Amino acid sequence: MSGRSDRAVERAARATLHWTLRYTGGLDPLVAADRQDEILSDLHEQTAWATEAGIGERATARSIRARMLRGIPADLGWRRAQLSGREGIRLSLPRVDGLLLAAVAVIGVVQVGVGAFIAARHVRALLIGDIGFIPNAAALTIALGSVALVATALLGHRRTRPWGAALLAVTGLLIFAQSVNALYYLSATALLVINGVTWLEPAAYAVGTGVAILCLAATAQWANPARRPSAASAASALTGEESR
């Protein structure tokens, strides 16, 4: 086992534990500690099974990260249940899939709308003579909106759904900030707002990052359906897989 591979598994495990500490923060210390102990046990079970099965460390690390991403919606549901005092509420996989699909579809529609809006503003600016060129930010926003349209269409089929979500993660990371930059050239009102609100572009990147994380979680959920290794079928799943 190489040192680099060991570190890959360690980093993946640390990321999972860090996420566990985040979503159990503010809960009853005993409840939070029990959840964290369960995650430690799950990580040990998975890595032990992977070692016995001869699975490479890098593959194990990828699996740990993928299971953490898939578990995010259920983890948040578990936290809500703890805060509301309704322990034992579980999110079924079909319900999680349905919620994810609805959220990612809305994200796709919004991105398409952003691209169409910038395209319309650019055409208007050309017609009234406000601008005589195509700003790079406007061209990129329109292109990203077009890609988002294709990606949203891919969500309609189960086999292509992971690809659609992955594309929306990429376009979502960029399109909101680029649209702000495009409006700098296309709208006098937006120019005044952008000059007055210096944090607008960083905020747009923050929104894009959140969108990308959600879409990547959906990609992991749809591309790698939850499976339990037979040698560890009695062990509970990693973060968020609600057999715990």
Side-chain angles (χ1 to χ4, degrees):
M1 182 183 297
S2 68
R4 180 175 298 180
S5 296
D6 285 342
R7 288 193 295 271
V9 174
E10 181 181 351
R11 285 194 298 269
R14 286 183 180 275
T16 299
L17 293 174
H18 179 71
W19 165 240
T20 306
L21 292 172
R22 291 291 299 274
Y23 76 80
T24 58
L27 299 178
D28 181 279
L30 293 177
V31 173
D34 286 344
R35 184 74 164 187
Q36 293 154 18
D37 288 343
E38 289 171 0
I39 298 304
L40 284 170
S41 176
D42 290 338
L43 288 169
H44 175 75
E45 290 285 347
Q46 182 178 5
T47 54
W49 174 84
T51 300
E52 292 176 2
I55 296 175
E57 286 76 14
R58 291 183 180 178
T60 302
R62 287 195 298 270
S63 176
I64 290 173
R65 290 184 183 277
R67 297 179 77 182
M68 180 189 72
L69 287 172
R70 290 200 304 273
I72 288 175
D75 289 331
L76 297 178
W78 177 87
R79 177 181 173 82
R80 284 196 303 271
Q82 298 301 320
L83 291 174
S84 63
R86 292 178 292 146
E87 299 182 12
I89 292 180
R90 300 172 184 265
L91 287 177
S92 65
L93 285 178
R95 185 181 178 189
V96 170
D97 278 345
L99 293 173
L100 277 177
L101 180 58
V104 174
V106 169
I107 287 171
V109 170
V110 169
Q111 291 186 36
V112 173
V114 169
F117 175 74
I118 294 299
R121 292 293 304 186
H122 184 259
V123 170
R124 179 179 180 278
L126 288 174
L127 291 177
I128 65 178
D130 278 355
I131 195 171
F133 65 100
I134 303 178
N136 290 336
L140 181 56
T141 302
I142 295 169
L144 290 170
S146 300
V147 174
L149 178 61
V150 175
T152 304
L154 292 176
L155 297 177
H157 301 278
R158 184 173 297 275
R159 290 184 178 180
T160 58
R161 194 168 292 166
W163 294 102
L167 285 175
L168 288 174
V170 176
T171 55
L173 186 63
L174 300 172
I175 193 169
F176 300 108
Q178 291 303 315
S179 65
V180 171
N181 291 333
L183 287 174
Y184 183 89
Y185 298 97
L186 303 177
S187 171
T189 302
L191 174 60
L192 294 175
V193 173
I194 293 169
N195 285 334
V197 184
T198 57
W199 49 263
L200 189 59
E201 185 176 356
Y205 273 115
V207 170
T209 300
V211 164
I213 290 173
L214 177 59
C215 290
L216 288 175
T219 302
Q221 172 72 15
W222 296 329
N224 299 293
R227 293 187 298 268
R228 295 180 190 274
S230 58
S233 58
S236 55
L238 271 178
T239 307
E241 295 185 346
E242 288 293 325
S243 61
R244 294 187 236 121

